[in-house]
Amino acid sequence: MNVIHLSAECYPVAKVGGLGDVVSALPKYQQSAGVNAIVVLPYYDRKFVQENEFEVIFRSEVSMGDWSSRFEVLKEKTDKLGFPLHLIRIPGLLDRPEIYSYPDETEQFVAFQLAFLEWLTKFEVRPDIIHCHDHHTGLVPFLLNYSYRYNHLSDIPTVLTIHNAQYQGWISWDKFNYLPDVDPSKTGLLEWNNCINPLATAVKCCWRYTTVSPSYLKELSYNSNGLEALFEMEKAKGVGIINGIDTDVWNPATDAMIPATYDTDSAGKGKTANKKAICKEFGLTATKPLIAFIGRLVGEKGADLLPQALTTALSALKLKGKANILILGSGEPAIEDALSGLRTSFPKSYNVFIGYNEALSHQIYAGADFLLMPSRVEPCGLNQLYSLRYGTIPIVRSTGGLIDTVIDISEPDGYGICFQEATADEISHAILRAVELYQNSEQVSLLRSRMMSLNYSWHQSANQYIELYNSLK
Ligand code: ADP
Ligand code: GLC
């Protein structure tokens, strides 16, 4: 079976968050299950691309309204990621260092999709499935069905995976001319709330859509940034498949990015060594519990609640001097400033690294005792899965994928700390619960072995996708 994954991110080529991790691990696991899964990304002028060899395998021209350009498809020569990686390069548009946030992002992603379709028309063997990820690739199912230029390919089944419905890729109708000629009776499929909405369009036009956890699938009908009615209407097409983790990359027994490797049997010792190292680096005290947050500093992740929640928790704790908190993240400047500002109030028990740092994230998963995720919205969440694998107790707000993957310690087989509302009060209360739990070292080591024996490898979920593909052939 030939499957094409279309995405804006794929680790280690381009990663901003979990989308990058998934589009790197899923095709790799699918390849090992016998599926020929390939990945197609925009070309980025970034480290991985600069340091690896690519060959041009296709050249053509793409038009978008009055604009047109030559483009090329480059393939990484050795398939070193475990699957064939292809990049679409359009000079001046898709050849830049950043993944998102350019003012002409609409033009970048529309041109990416159009260039992909141009290339697809010349495939010698038609793919069995086109698997689109998030809104950046959401126009493809519509164009395959209803554009005169590409609708001879409309029998190729399309699957859309929704990693995050908060972002929908809205395009104003005055850019409708970017699209090739389409059946005029079908333009309503592009529409949602007075603009072209690529995510909504993909939900309407794909053969099936998946969400990255079963709970998030249910949530979309009442919480999806304006698309609730659509999800309610289309729910027969939806399937929830929980993400997995790449256990080659995320394995504390072999992780080259952490100072001390460990497995379930040596977790106590290993985590202590990693904690010592990270506490030393950030001026914290290794004898106290270390609670960490890693992630995008945006409202969706509850990051705006952290300054108040941490102040409350640390003020209470300061009296008893019982905990350390460490943050790794970047995002909204106001949140970054507020979190940086806390350093002066709690010099020995709090620190923050503003920025993106892959190695540091591994060191924190390995060295922290607890990982805090106070998310308002969390379609799956990979951080808690990494922390389970590294024996780090997750403290999560019960939403989306966090409901499906974390069981509170009050339950018989529980291993995490769960709370219901994304409020500063509930977060600080959950931190206090964690500090209390930490005093019971026997229970902590029991929870560690329980967490580390859970299996969130991609094997099972990759197979669920394959079953879904098979049902569409
Ligand atoms: P999302 O995709 O919504 O950001 P996920 O939990 O699915 O959330 O995935 C986040 C991924 O990004 C994880 O691999 C996490 O370790 C990583 N990550 C987030 N912020 C940073 C950062 N500042 N530095 C390094 N890694 C980060
Ligand atoms: C999104 C979601 C996150 C999920 C990730 C990978 O970025 O916010 O919850 O884990 O995609 O699917």
Side-chain angles (χ1 to χ4, degrees):
M1 181 165 22
N2 294 312
V3 177
I4 302 181
H5 289 276
L6 273 183
S7 170
E9 295 181 38
C10 173
Y11 175 79
V13 189
K15 166 176 166 183
V16 170
L19 172 64
D21 287 348
V22 171
V23 178
S24 156
L26 174 59
K28 188 172 101 176
Y29 280 76
Q30 289 180 334
Q31 283 280 351
S32 62
V35 167
N36 179 29
I38 73 165
V39 170
V40 181
L41 285 191
Y43 180 100
Y44 299 107
D45 186 14
R46 295 173 78 85
K47 195 163 178 275
F48 182 93
V49 179
Q50 292 152 2
E51 289 177 357
N52 288 281
E53 278 195 51
F54 287 79
E55 61 189 326
V56 176
I57 57 158
F58 183 74
R59 284 196 171 90
S60 185
E61 194 155 312
V62 58
S63 306
M64 183 171 63
D66 301 335
W67 171 95
S68 68
S69 168
R70 294 199 58 73
F71 75 93
E72 25 184 59
V73 180
L74 295 95
K75 179 182 173 301
E76 192 270 310
K77 279 188 174 168
T78 61
D79 297 348
K80 74 188 291 184
L81 300 183
F83 52 81
L85 168 74
H86 298 82
L87 308 178
I88 294 186
R89 176 157 68 185
I90 305 180
L93 201 60
L94 298 182
D95 57 0
R96 304 179 192 165
E98 299 307 324
I99 302 165
Y100 305 118
S101 306
Y102 290 108
D104 55 354
E105 190 171 278
T106 297
E107 287 72 12
Q108 288 186 295
F109 288 117
V110 173
F112 169 62
Q113 294 173 82
L114 294 174
F116 164 70
L117 289 168
E118 275 309 306
W119 177 37
L120 184 65
T121 61
K122 301 294 184 318
F123 272 41
E124 276 163 28
V125 181
R126 271 190 193 198
D128 298 296
I129 300 283
I130 295 180
H131 191 148
C132 302
H133 294 267
D134 276 351
H135 71 82
H136 320 101
T137 61
L139 296 173
V140 166
F142 171 82
L143 293 169
L144 281 174
N145 280 314
Y146 306 116
S147 70
Y148 299 124
R149 191 168 176 88
Y150 306 114
N151 66 1
H152 60 287
L153 300 169
S154 64
D155 57 341
I156 305 175
T158 50
V159 172
L160 164 74
T161 291
I162 301 169
H163 296 264
N164 197 332
Q166 295 298 108
Y167 307 100
Q168 299 167 10
W170 308 271
I171 301 174
S172 94
W173 272 107
D174 57 24
K175 295 185 175 176
F176 173 63
N177 71 324
Y178 285 1
L179 304 184
D181 285 344
V182 298
D183 178 344
S185 71
K186 300 293 180 189
T187 53
L189 290 167
L190 295 165
E191 159 81 25
W192 198 264
N193 278 345
N194 302 320
C195 63
I196 298 176
N197 183 318
L199 186 70
T201 304
V203 171
K204 294 180 209 176
C205 299
C206 67
W207 291 33
R208 297 296 287 274
Y209 67 87
T210 72
T211 59
V212 288
S213 70
S215 287
Y216 190 57
L217 180 68
K218 293 185 206 142
E219 186 179 321
L220 290 176
S221 294
Y222 59 89
N223 181 20
S224 50
N225 204 6
L227 300 185
E228 294 77 9
L230 174 68
F231 282 113
E232 189 52 27
M233 218 149 55
E234 297 282 359
K235 66 182 177 195
K237 280 201 319 201
V239 191
I241 302 179
I242 195 84
N243 284 334
I245 65 174
D246 186 336
T247 49
D248 299 334
V249 176
W250 298 95
N251 182 355
T254 55
D255 193 332
M257 296 189 221
I258 62 177
T261 52
Y262 58 95
D263 60 16
T264 315
D265 294 336
S266 56
K269 238 170 121 188
K271 285 196 71 71
T272 304
N274 285 297
K275 182 174 170 185
K276 271 193 186 147
I278 199 92
C279 284
K280 189 163 176 227
E281 190 178 340
F282 285 95
L284 303 169
T285 317
T287 47
K288 296 192 256 172
L290 175 59
I291 299 157
F293 171 97
I294 299 173
R296 296 180 289 117
L297 300 178
V298 296
E300 211 186 309
K301 299 284 178 194
D304 55 315
L305 301 168
L306 288 176
Q308 198 199 322
L310 301 183
T311 305
T312 309
L314 285 171
S315 307
L317 295 166
K318 199 176 165 190
L319 301 174
K320 305 175 204 148
K322 275 187 183 163
N324 300 300
I325 293 184
L326 179 59
I327 311 268
L328 164 62
S330 61
E332 287 171 20
I335 305 178
E336 291 183 353
D337 290 349
L339 288 171
S340 299
L342 283 189
R343 276 202 206 102
T344 43
S345 317
F346 306 103
K348 291 202 180 102
S349 45
Y350 171 85
N351 213 335
V352 54
F353 182 102
I354 298 292
Y356 187 92
N357 188 325
E358 193 74 25
L360 181 56
S361 76
H362 285 242
Q363 288 147 21
I364 296 177
Y365 290 118
D369 299 296
F370 298 92
L371 185 96
L372 175 63
M373 295 181 74
S375 308
R376 287 195 177 84
V377 179
E378 197 62 81
C380 176
L382 295 173
N383 296 18
Q384 82 280 13
L385 301 182
Y386 299 144
S387 63
L388 294 176
R389 179 103 167 116
Y390 282 68
T392 304
I393 299 168
I395 307 175
V396 305
R397 179 191 166 227
S398 294
T399 183
L402 299 175
I403 298 177
D404 299 340
T405 54
V406 182
I407 305 174
D408 190 84
I409 43 169
S410 59
E411 305 286 325
D413 290 322
Y415 43 80
I417 294 179
C418 303
F419 57 97
Q420 295 306 315
E421 301 297 329
T423 62
D425 272 357
E426 289 217 16
I427 298 169
S428 55
H429 180 73
I431 293 175
L432 294 174
R433 256 185 100 194
V435 175
E436 215 167 274
L437 169 62
Y438 185 78
Q439 311 311 319
N440 185 343
S441 55
E442 257 176 52
Q443 202 192 350
V444 169
S445 51
L446 177 93
L447 297 180
R448 267 187 201 145
S449 31
R450 191 174 283 168
M451 292 186 288
M452 291 179 75
S453 64
L454 296 169
N455 181 0
Y456 274 106
S457 134
W458 261 107
H459 283 293
Q460 203 180 328
S461 302
N463 282 332
Q464 281 178 266
Y465 280 106
I466 296 171
E467 277 167 31
L468 173 67
Y469 301 156
N470 279 327
S471 73
L472 301 177
K473 282 209 301 180

